[in-house]
Structures are given as structure tokens and as C-alpha cells.
Amino acid sequence: MRSVRARAALGATLVVAVALAAAGLAVLLVLRGNLTDRAGLEAEVTAREVAGELALGATYAGLDLDDDDHPVQVTDEEGRVVAVSKDLEAISGTGTAGVVRVSPAPAPGPGDDDDDEDDGSDPPRSEVSSDSPDFTNGTATVDGEKADYRFAAVEVTTKEDVTLTVHAGAPLAAEQEAVNTVRTSMLTGLPVMLLVVAGVTWLVTRRALRPVEGIRRELAAITASEDLGRRVPEPDSRDEIARLARTTNETLTVLEASVDRQRRFVADASHELRSPIASLRTQLEVGAAHPELLDLPGAVTDTVRLQVLAADLLLLARLDAGERPGRAAVDLGALVREEVSQRTADRIAPQVSVADGPLEVAGSRGQLARVVSNLLDNAERHAERSVAVTVRAERDEVLVEVTDDGPGVSEAEQDRIFERFVRLDDARSRDDGGAGLGLAIARDVAARHGGTLTVGTAPSGGARFTLRLPLPLPRLERP
């Protein structure tokens, strides 16, 4: 039962078995009910015929009771049997069981008149009851053969004002035979049908799951070989399995890109860390051997650069791990003013312009401050005489624009500069151009906050970086 095919076949077989059993039971009940009603109708017809003869004045001995297929028993008001069919020996289900004996009773006849005055309280004479007969099931022994019968009881009032009850039966042998035949056929055919259902379900499920097995084998091979460039086979069908294969291949593509990006990141990080560490070690070794030659400012610079690089790598690692920013309200106008006020050592002082209106966004103040700082560092590094920062609201977004009058960024490089460890030709110096992580961090943080970071051309011909962050819909709590 660990196989999907086996569970599907068993489930389909059980469902079909329950459905067929319920349907078969319903058919048997309907068939038995119809045949029983038919037998009851026959018994009622026979009972009303005999009752009609009694109502017309026929004597007990003159009744036509020779039909062996429909035994008849006539009883009076006291329950005494006054007339029975010729070969009826025993009966049950009519209120009188055992051997049938005709009790002596005055037989009605044309000469037996009742001279009592009619006071209006006696029931009508010579009348067959129009009420629905009472039906019962029982047995009767006719000419030595015992069988089941459906009895109908009809009351009749004779001309002599005698109320009699006529019990007439119709055999249930045909009903029992038909029900038994149908039940036997169902019990014989049900296992065969269930075997067919199980076999067909097994084959159909096996054929439907064959591509899944191919996908599983290929995934197992990819796992064993660690070759993420391979892809699972995609069937030509348009069903769920084909969509599963396509989704699996898309996942493998994303996973391959992620692994490649991670490998490049590790290689680039190792390369970037090697230079300041080697430089710092060299200076310390020289200082240890020749203290008078120790370049203390250079060592401090390399240490600071190493510290900044380690912080950048740690932040990128947290972002790649899926760290989500907070939901505190951050005033971008105040944040930009605070960051600019702390940059006292810049060679070009940024010009700040903050518009009126709501400038609060939801996010992490520390990460957004890092974005503004990185954009200002980039602008200060490439600007010739001016750096400007503008903060304003536009529809449902807050825009932070950082412009400079430097050489700008060509259209071919506008997407590439946001890649990690990428430095353009004029910023390849490791001492002046940084590690190439500032803009990559800025774009990743913007994306985590539901915004975007793009680059274009400023009116002065330099670069214009535009940070767009959405205004929050719910009311936010201040940190």
C-alpha cells in the first residue's frame, strides 16, 4: 500500500463496491416492493370477487373457491371460519393459524330474511367495503404444499346483515425467485466487476504516473551528480504532471543561478578580503621588524576598510537568508537630513531639498540609512563639484533622488552597476572605488522594502539614482 497505484486502485475499488452495493440493495428493495405490491393486488382482486359473490347472496357452499393459486378463507365477526378453499389445509397470517376447520354457522341464503326493523343504526346491507384492504404476509398449505403468500382482507356485509371478512392470498414464489435470481447475479458479477475496476485503475494510474517516475529518476541523478545544469523531462501533455515538470525545471534554474551567484560571491569576497588582510599583515610585519617604518595611518585605513567590507558581507548574507525589515514608520526627510549632517569629512557637501507632505515609509531605519549612505558615498566619489539630494512624495510613493555632476553611467552599464563586486572602469581602484557592494546592497534593501532603485542621467549630465518606496496603507507605530 506504499504505492500510489495500489492506493488509487484500492480506493477506486472500494468506492465502486460501496456504490454497487448501495445500488444493488436499492434495486432489490424496489423489485421486492413492486412484486409484493403486484401479489397484493392479485390477492385483493380475488378477495373482492369472493366478497362480491357473498354480497349478491351466494351461500358458503356455493362460493367458487377452487383456485389453488389463490387460497381463500372467510371468517365471521367472531373470527370463526365459515368458508375456505377446497384444498386449503393450514394457514397463517390471517389471524387464524393451524389446521383449517370450518365452524358451523348459519349459511346465508335467499330465504333468510331479517324481519327486524331498521332503526337506522345498522350498516348498509349487501355491500363490499370500499376501504383499502389490510395486507399481511403469511403461509398456507394447499394440497400438502406449504408456500408463502400475500393476503388481502376485505370486509363484506351480506343481505342478511352479516359482516364477513374475506382473506385471499396470492403466492410470493415468483417474487422470491426473481429477488433470489437478481441477488445471485449481483453477488456473482460484483467481484468480477470489482476486479475489472481495480485492474483498469491500476493500468491507467501506472500510465499516468510513468512521467512522474521519469522525473524522480532524473532528480535522483541530479542529486547524485550535483549537476544543476540538467533538467527533468517534460511530457507533451498539458496536465498536472506536465506543469509539475515545468515547475521543477524552473526551480532547478533558479537553484542553479542561486548556487552560481553564491559561488561567485564567495570567490569575490575571498578576493576582496585577501587584499586588505595581506596589506595589513605586511605593514604589521614591517612594523614589528622596523618600528620606525610602521605606517600606522595605512594600517588603520586597511583595518577600517576590512571592517566595512565585513559589515557589507554580513548584511548581504542576512539579506540572502531572507531577513525581512521591520514595520516601523521611518521619516525619509528626517533620515536624509541626519545622514547628511554626519558627513562632515566629505569633499563635497550635499545639497538637501525635502518637500512638504507625508514622507514616512514602513521599514528598517538602519537599513534605509545604509541605502542613503551608500548612494551619497557613490555620488561623492564620482562628483566634480556638486551633489544634491531631493526627497518628495509622488502619488503613493516617496522618492529619494541623489544626483551628481560626474561622468554619469552609460545605458549599457545601468543594470550592471547593481551587481555585486562590480566596479566600472573609472572606479577600479580598490582604494578609491570600494569593493563594489554599496549599490548592490542598496538595491537589495530597496527590494526588501517593496521599492525600487534605478539609475538615470541627471540634468547636469551626471548620474541620478532614484529610490522609490511605497507609502504605508495602515497606520504605523513610531519606533
Side-chain angles (χ1 to χ4, degrees):
M1 297 310 299
R2 296 180 180 179
S3 170
V4 175
R5 294 192 298 270
R7 292 198 296 268
L10 178 61
T13 303
L14 291 177
V15 171
V16 173
V18 172
L20 290 179
L25 181 61
V27 169
L28 289 177
L29 292 177
V30 172
L31 178 62
R32 174 176 293 177
N34 289 338
L35 293 176
T36 301
D37 292 343
R38 180 179 177 182
L41 180 60
E42 293 181 3
E44 180 183 359
V45 170
T46 301
R48 290 193 179 277
E49 288 179 354
V50 175
E53 294 180 14
L54 292 173
L56 293 176
T59 62
Y60 299 145
L63 295 175
D64 184 12
L65 304 178
D66 294 335
D67 188 356
D68 293 340
D69 292 334
H70 299 86
V72 176
Q73 181 188 60
V74 183
T75 59
D76 60 11
E77 295 178 348
E78 299 179 0
R80 295 177 300 179
V81 178
V82 297
V84 295
S85 295
K86 179 180 179 181
D87 297 326
L88 180 61
E89 301 174 0
I91 191 171
S92 66
T94 62
T96 58
V99 179
V100 176
R101 293 183 177 88
V102 179
S103 301
D112 297 337
D113 295 332
D114 189 359
D115 294 336
D116 296 340
E117 292 184 3
D118 188 2
D119 58 2
S121 61
D122 295 332
R125 298 182 179 181
S126 184
E127 179 183 12
V128 178
S129 175
S130 59
D131 297 337
S132 298
D134 295 330
F135 292 101
T136 57
N137 290 339
T139 61
T141 303
V142 180
D143 198 13
E145 296 183 359
K146 186 177 180 180
D148 295 328
Y149 287 85
R150 179 74 167 171
F151 292 103
V154 177
E155 290 188 354
V156 58
T157 303
T158 64
K159 292 181 178 181
E160 291 75 26
D161 199 16
V162 178
T163 300
L164 303 174
T165 302
V166 180
H167 301 275
L172 295 176
E175 177 262 349
Q176 294 174 349
E177 181 178 359
V179 171
N180 291 335
T181 300
V182 173
R183 182 171 56 245
T184 302
S185 300
M186 288 182 176
L187 293 177
T188 303
L190 181 61
V192 177
M193 185 173 296
L194 293 181
L195 287 176
V196 172
V197 170
V200 171
T201 304
W202 176 276
L203 294 176
V204 171
T205 307
R206 179 182 179 183
R207 181 179 179 85
L209 294 179
R210 187 176 301 165
V212 177
E213 179 62 22
I215 295 173
R216 187 202 65 78
R217 286 197 299 266
E218 186 62 24
L219 282 176
I222 293 173
T223 302
S225 63
E226 298 183 358
D227 182 8
L228 295 178
R230 299 172 61 174
R231 296 294 180 266
V232 301
E234 296 185 12
D236 297 332
S237 59
R238 298 181 179 178
D239 55 9
E240 293 83 354
I241 297 178
R243 293 196 291 271
L244 171 64
R246 287 192 293 271
T247 303
T248 302
N249 285 335
E250 293 172 358
T251 303
L252 289 173
T253 300
V254 174
L255 182 60
E256 181 184 16
S258 176
V259 171
D260 290 342
R261 185 170 60 250
Q262 190 70 20
R263 289 172 179 171
R264 290 195 305 269
F265 176 76
V266 173
D268 293 337
S270 301
H271 183 70
E272 293 294 336
L273 288 171
R274 187 182 301 117
S275 297
I277 292 176
S279 176
L280 182 60
R281 177 180 178 180
T282 300
Q283 295 181 55
L284 293 176
E285 289 177 349
V286 171
H290 306 281
E292 70 279 0
L293 299 179
L294 177 62
D295 184 9
L296 188 58
V300 173
T301 301
D302 286 340
T303 302
V304 171
R305 180 183 173 196
L306 187 60
Q307 182 182 10
V308 172
L309 181 57
D312 288 343
L313 294 177
L314 180 60
L315 178 57
L316 284 174
R318 293 204 309 267
L319 294 176
D320 289 340
E323 178 182 305
R324 295 184 176 275
R327 297 292 299 172
V330 180
D331 189 337
L332 286 182
L335 178 65
V336 168
R337 288 194 179 98
E338 181 180 346
E339 286 298 317
V340 171
S341 65
Q342 296 175 359
R343 303 177 67 88
T344 57
D346 287 352
R347 63 184 180 88
I348 301 176
Q351 299 177 358
V352 180
S353 174
V354 178
D356 297 331
L359 300 175
E360 288 186 346
V361 298
S364 168
R365 182 179 182 84
Q367 292 185 8
L368 294 176
R370 187 64 174 277
V371 173
V372 175
S373 177
N374 288 354
L375 293 179
L376 291 174
D377 287 342
N378 181 78
E380 197 270 340
R381 185 180 301 118
H382 296 89
E384 295 181 0
R385 290 181 301 274
S386 66
V387 175
V389 183
T390 303
V391 184
R392 71 178 190 277
E394 185 177 285
R395 294 190 296 274
D396 55 350
E397 294 178 326
V398 178
L399 275 65
V400 178
E401 292 184 345
V402 180
T403 60
D404 61 71
D405 59 350
V409 181
S410 64
E411 292 185 3
E413 303 289 346
Q414 288 182 357
D415 287 332
R416 183 169 172 269
I417 61 173
F418 292 105
E419 297 179 4
R420 298 175 182 181
F421 300 104
V422 170
R423 288 182 293 270
L424 301 183
D425 292 338
D426 61 346
R428 288 189 180 275
S429 172
R430 297 189 184 278
D431 295 331
D432 299 332
L437 293 177
L439 295 180
I441 292 175
R443 171 169 275 191
D444 285 350
V445 171
R448 293 295 191 279
H449 285 74
T452 60
L453 177 61
T454 57
V455 62
T457 303
S460 60
R464 177 174 59 187
F465 287 86
T466 303
L467 172 66
R468 294 177 179 269
L469 295 175
L471 287 170
L473 294 179
R475 183 178 180 180
L476 301 174
E477 296 182 358
R478 296 184 177 275

